Amino acid sequence: MEISEKLLCLFSADVREENGEYVVDVPRREVENGSLEPGETYRVALISRSETEAGEETDSGTDVSASRAGDGPQPPVEPGEMRYVEIEDLGKQGDGIARVERGYVIIVPDTEVGERVKIEITEVKSNFAVGEVVEE
């Protein structure tokens, strides 16, 4: 399945009926991580579900181990991965900040706003990664 670069977040949720309307709850972490802003309007896409051999539901085409309900989206980068990024901001301690899919943050030390650099991902956390410049 192809996923748009405009995707802000990805999570699993149940659709429930409430006062004659159907409601999907957005997890608090999506707002706290800065993916979404309360009061804003967003387009919503629904992905069909399929049954696995073990009878556990998962998103179509997604590895069961990486898609358990409640785990939230996985980081869009892996340690050792090489990427070209543009530094958009500076962090509180002066490190460059790049954003990739869904607004995921990559911290790149010793860079300046506006630089476009090739980096190697050295550390990956659930809400950010750290990259090292390998080519300016």
Side-chain angles (χ1 to χ4, degrees):
M1 169 173 45
E2 191 171 321
I3 297 177
S4 169
E5 290 284 325
K6 296 177 183 177
L7 180 68
L8 297 174
C9 62
L10 178 63
F11 57 88
S12 295
D14 294 322
V15 176
R16 62 183 165 78
E17 188 173 359
E18 184 177 291
N19 300 323
E21 294 185 339
Y22 294 97
V23 177
V24 175
D25 291 317
V26 175
R28 177 177 293 279
R29 71 178 174 275
E30 298 301 340
V31 175
E32 290 173 348
N33 288 339
S35 299
L36 305 174
E37 292 288 327
E40 292 293 322
T41 301
Y42 298 93
R43 294 183 70 197
V44 177
L46 302 175
I47 301 171
S48 66
R49 309 284 289 179
S50 65
E51 298 289 329
T52 66
E53 292 176 20
E56 180 181 3
E57 286 190 347
T58 63
D59 293 336
S60 298
T62 304
D63 181 3
V64 177
S65 63
S67 171
R68 301 217 185 270
D71 282 354
Q74 300 299 311
V77 296
E78 296 179 0
E81 182 177 338
M82 300 289 207
R83 286 231 179 182
Y84 285 96
V85 296
E86 184 170 341
I87 305 304
E88 300 175 13
D89 287 310
L90 291 180
K92 292 178 183 173
Q93 293 159 1
D95 295 325
I97 304 286
R99 290 181 182 81
V100 293
E101 297 90 306
R102 303 184 316 268
Y104 185 82
V105 170
I106 301 176
I107 298 170
V108 186
D110 303 319
T111 55
E112 298 291 328
V113 173
E115 280 187 82
R116 184 158 171 78
V117 293
K118 182 177 181 180
I119 62 168
E120 179 178 357
I121 304 298
T122 57
E123 184 179 347
V124 176
K125 302 288 185 184
S126 62
N127 58 343
F128 74 94
V130 177
E132 181 178 301
V133 175
V134 294
E135 185 179 304
E136 292 188 36

